Amino acid sequence: MNRNSDVNGDRPARKAGVSRRSLMLGTVVTGFSAAFGEFGLSGGVARAATVDDATFLSVSRVITGHSELHPVIARRLFAAMQKTFPDYASKIQALSGLVAQGGTPREILDRAGDLKDDLLALNAAWYTGSVQDKTNAPTVAYYDALMYQPTRDGLPVPTYCFDRPGWWTETPPPLGIAVHAPLPATPPAPVPQGIESKAPPQTAPLGTIPPSSPPHSPLPHREL
């Protein structure tokens, strides 16, 4: 019996060891894990949202004033912030206590106190999609960064386009506001009123004051 055949003797037995296909598949999986796992980018599949993730998202929505922030981007941004800034989770807990008092983003900023820098850094991260404003800072979102959203309907995100030729020649979408706000009407000048002019009061003239001594008479000239 041929030892290289299977139990039924129909097919040659597969040699022991790792096949080339398995080796290539393992290499690809390892590469993707290293590329996307550094800042928790695979968290949407491999890691469930934690309590800190939920707190980070709720704080971010209040501070930015945008209730539509995406949970997946929030998890990735939170992971990147934790990797860049030590003990960042405690800062989020402190910000959570701050926003729990209510108010608009501006009102929250006014009473932030020592948390003002942390609040502004979180707001900037959502608007720029990057953890820090510096070269080679980790970037979590680009197309979905908040700074590109106000003009997204009429101006594409840099390096993107509206996927149709000549879109730049089209009329921009309406703004919904007047291009030139009307200036407030200037009220007419009041009608001048006639004013009666009166002569200033006059003082009485001084009377003649008589001299207290007779007038001086010079002595006659005498020759010596």
Side-chain angles (χ1 to χ4, degrees):
M1 180 177 180
N2 188 356
R3 294 183 178 181
N4 292 330
S5 61
D6 63 1
V7 177
N8 297 324
D10 297 331
R11 297 186 303 272
R14 181 171 297 176
K15 294 183 179 181
V18 180
S19 66
R20 183 170 58 181
R21 179 178 299 178
S22 300
L23 180 61
M24 293 179 63
L25 180 60
T27 302
V28 171
V29 172
T30 302
F32 273 99
S33 299
F36 294 101
E38 181 177 0
F39 294 112
L41 301 185
S42 59
V45 177
R47 181 174 64 87
T50 64
V51 176
D52 287 340
D53 290 333
T55 303
F56 179 83
L57 178 58
S58 63
V59 169
S60 298
R61 285 173 171 172
V62 175
I63 288 177
T64 61
H66 289 267
S67 60
E68 73 283 0
L69 298 181
H70 201 285
V72 174
I73 297 179
R75 288 202 301 271
R76 295 173 179 176
L77 184 58
F78 184 41
M81 298 290 273
Q82 284 183 297
K83 190 174 182 65
T84 305
F85 303 106
D87 199 23
Y88 190 73
S90 63
K91 295 182 179 180
I92 292 300
Q93 292 298 331
L95 289 175
S96 177
L98 177 66
V99 302
Q101 303 173 24
T104 64
R106 182 66 194 184
E107 293 171 345
I108 296 174
L109 177 62
D110 290 340
R111 66 169 187 266
D114 295 339
L115 297 175
K116 183 176 182 179
D117 290 341
D118 296 329
L119 188 151
L120 293 176
L122 175 58
N123 191 66
W126 276 103
Y127 270 86
T128 62
S130 180
V131 174
Q132 289 177 296
D133 184 16
K134 60 184 295 185
T135 304
N136 297 327
T139 298
V140 175
Y142 177 74
Y143 186 79
D144 294 310
L146 292 183
M147 64 179 176
Y148 296 125
Q149 306 314 307
T151 58
R152 192 168 175 175
D153 58 340
L155 186 66
V157 176
T159 73
Y160 287 80
C161 69
F162 286 143
D163 66 15
R164 57 183 181 273
W167 63 265
W168 52 87
T169 63
E170 300 174 2
T171 303
L175 298 176
I177 58 175
V179 177
H180 298 288
L183 298 177
T186 304
V191 178
Q193 302 293 330
I195 300 176
E196 181 181 358
S197 299
K198 296 182 179 180
Q202 301 292 328
T203 57
L206 297 176
T208 303
I209 302 175
S212 58
S213 60
H216 173 71
S217 298
L219 296 175
H221 179 70
R222 292 184 302 174
E223 294 183 1
L224 298 178

